[in-house]
């Protein structure tokens, strides 16, 4: 199945978008054609957790007689799976709702629902503020969708925004809508207990809970049996994964889960995201070192390079801690391991020197990649209640630009270091620019493009890289003995 990506031009769009990030990307789930009576059009915003949840929602509604469609004009039900992470993300959804209003005027029978983080944050207020919305459903209430849709069919408005301490949708097999048939996302935990002061996620996603380790391993096995070659284990904070069987006889932490998944097949690549610097242990790093098929790439968001700001952000680590974790990665996995980050510019009371500390941390780590944002105050968060959003927008933007410029240098340097070396690439797609080229990623998550030859999607190919652009490595296949 093809996937349709519509790119939105966001001010705070990161330099290099990736799968798991709130990147300003919108995804329209591709069509399923199984002759179901009703048509669901589902559009997802925000992070990979949302994209993954949309697959769960599609699976639930598939059982209820809905096929998905890519064409809004033929839909009976439109669902927007929304993001609240920054103000801009919410504005985008509001704009989209007003466009959908036009469709509803032409097709009064069209039902409109809002899912995800914005639904959870605004609750019934959504119905008051946006008259077009019939249905508001939070991230832990998707099993209730069939009942809620019946209410809406009966002419009522319907809302369920109850958060749960248990729900992990462990038993629901997602309809793989976002997938290229090679790489799939597997959600291993939900929610977040960290309460970073800037962040809305703990309010929209509820308490942290880990999914049954056996159901995760089984889902990965099923993916291997279906021909998949890569899984990405997903959670807001995967390193705090912690599961115990009901009789408390079996305890599994993240390093152990990672190992269980890696052992399914040497042909299966394993990735994970996101790692919180306070939780990533040497045990995880040694597990990565032991298994060739665990990709050598760690997304380790720093947010700031200054200890005072980190304290205000309630990140629970300081700069020396973060630097020590980077040294541990270098000690255990060497320079071969790629590291990326998220950075926020212009957080409350950030001085010019503190901003310089962020730049100096970036110089220190030499990140392979970064997602960079300026601070956007979110209602209800600790920062919104206790701190003043006192950095003028122009200064936030100027600091962000400095962060972006520095990162571009560092990414370019990283790409140049890849030249002249042979990389093991898992082929994911035909290149967007040329049908004669294939595209895939190396273990470090760098995109590599090379002439097609006789290779196809899902193959592992050794590629000698001879050139690069800002975001892509270019090379050709070589034989390895
Ligand atoms: N759980 C992940 C982050 C998920 S949100 C972690 O802790 O690393 C993704 C990123 O959005 C964050 O890392 C942060 O850089 C950014 N972000 C979150 N809230 C923000 C806000 N209020 N303003 C600007 N950026 C924000
Ligand atoms: Fe938000 Fe912090 Fe949780 Fe990440 S760890 S989702 S930034 S509260
Ligand atoms: Fe993800 Fe946005 Fe929610 S980043 S968890 S969809 S607020």
């Amino acid at each position: 199945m093809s996937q349709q990506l519509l790119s939105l031009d966001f001010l705070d769009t990161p330099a290099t978008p990736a799968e798991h990030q709130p990147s300003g990307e919108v995804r329209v789930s591709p069509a399923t054609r199984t002759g179901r009576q009703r048509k669901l059009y589902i559009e997802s915003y925000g992070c990979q957790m949302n994209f993954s949840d949309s697959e769960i929602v599609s699976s639930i509604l598939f059982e209820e007689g809905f096929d998905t469609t890519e064409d809004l004009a033929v839909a009976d039900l439109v669902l927007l799976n929304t993001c609240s992470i920054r103000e801009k993300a919410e504005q985008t959804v509001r704009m989209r709702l007003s466009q959908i209003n036009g469709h509803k005027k032409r097709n009064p029978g069209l039902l409109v629902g809002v899912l995800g983080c914005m639904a959870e944050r605004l609750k019934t207020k959504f119905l008051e503020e946006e008259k077009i919305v019939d249905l508001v459903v939070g991230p832990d209430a998707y099993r209730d969708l069939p009942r809620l849709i019946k209410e809406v069919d009966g002419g009522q408005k319907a809302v369920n925004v109850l958060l749960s301490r248990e729900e992990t949708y462990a038993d629901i097999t997602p309809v793989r809508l976002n997938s290229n048939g090679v790489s799939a996302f597997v959600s291993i935990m939900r929610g977040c207990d960290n309460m970073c002061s800037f962040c809305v996620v703990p309010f929209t996603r509820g308490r942290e809970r880990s999914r049954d380790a056996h159901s995760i391993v089984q889902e990965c096995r099923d993916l291997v049996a279906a021909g998949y070659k890569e899984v990405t284990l997903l959670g807001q904070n995967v390193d705090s994964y912690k599961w115990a069987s009901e009789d408390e006889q079996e305890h599994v932490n993240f390093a152990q889960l990672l190992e269980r998944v890696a052992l399914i097949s040497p042909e299966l690549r394993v990735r994970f995201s996101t790692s919180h610097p306070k939780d990533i242990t040497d045990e995880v790093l040694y597990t990565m070192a032991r298994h060739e098929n665990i990709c050598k790439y760690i997304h380790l968001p720093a947010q700031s390079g200054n200890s005072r700001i980190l304290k205000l952000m309630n990140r629970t680590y300081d700069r020396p801690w973060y630097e020590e974790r980077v040294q541990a990665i270098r000690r255990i996995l060497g320079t071969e391991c790629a590291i990326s980050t998220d950075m926020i510019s212009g957080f409350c009371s950030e001085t010019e020197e503190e901003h310089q500390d962020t730049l100096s941390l970036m110089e220190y780590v030499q990140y392979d990649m970064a997602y960079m944002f300026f601070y956007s105050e979110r209602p209800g968060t600790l920062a919104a209640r206790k701190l003043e959003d006192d950095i003028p927008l122009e200064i936030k933007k100027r600091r962000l630009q400095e962060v972006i410029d520095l990162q571009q240098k560092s990414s370019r340097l990283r790409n140049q270091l890849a030249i002249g070396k042979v990389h093991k690439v898992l082929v994911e797609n035909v290149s967007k620019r040329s049908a004669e080229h294939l595209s895939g990623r190396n273990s470090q998550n760098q995109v590599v493009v090379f002439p097609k030859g006789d290779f196809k999607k899902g193959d592992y190919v050794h590629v000698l890289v001879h050139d690069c652009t800002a975001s892509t490595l270019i090379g050709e296949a070589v034989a390895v003995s």
Side-chain angles (χ1 to χ4, degrees), residues 5 27 74 91 93-94 107 116 128 188 192 198 245 288 309 314 317 330 339 383 386 415 441 458 480:
L5 296 178
R27 285 193 183 195
V74 303
Q91 284 167 355
V93 169
R94 302 262 188 192
N107 171 12
E128 291 153 29
I188 64 164
C192 183
F198 53 80
S245 59
M288 291 175 73
I309 294 293
N314 201 25
Y317 55 85
R330 295 289 172 237
I339 307 177
K386 299 257 178 343
N415 278 354
R441 280 173 296 156
V480 285

Side-chain angles (χ1 to χ4, degrees), residues 231-252:
V231 290
T232 303
L233 307 179
L234 276 186
Q236 289 299 348
N237 183 8
V238 286
D239 295 79
S240 70
Y241 177 89
K242 205 163 150 231
W243 175 81
S245 59
E246 252 167 50
D247 58 7
E248 293 282 329
Q249 291 301 303
E250 194 186 358
H251 290 257
V252 183

Side-chain angles (χ1 to χ4, degrees), residues 110-138:
L110 181 67
L111 302 179
V112 180
V114 192
L115 313 177
C117 291
M118 216 175 149
E120 191 61 50
R121 195 178 83 69
L122 291 165
K123 303 185 170 58
T124 49
K125 256 208 265 174
F126 230 126
L127 296 180
E128 291 153 29
E129 291 174 10
E130 304 283 348
K131 295 285 175 258
I132 177 188
V133 173
D134 302 298
L135 184 68
V136 178
V137 190

Side-chain angles (χ1 to χ4, degrees), residues 429-432 434-439 449-452 474-475:
N429 279 306
V430 173
S431 162
K432 274 181 228 134
S434 140
E436 291 310 306
H437 287 73
L438 294 172
S439 133
V449 170
F450 61 97
K452 189 156 78 179
I474 301 159

Side-chain angles (χ1 to χ4, degrees), residues 192 194-196 198-199 201-202 236-237 276 303 315:
C192 183
N194 283 328
M195 299 303 274
C196 300
F198 53 80
C199 184
V201 171
Q236 289 299 348
N237 183 8
H276 192 296
Q303 312 297 357
R315 287 291 285 182

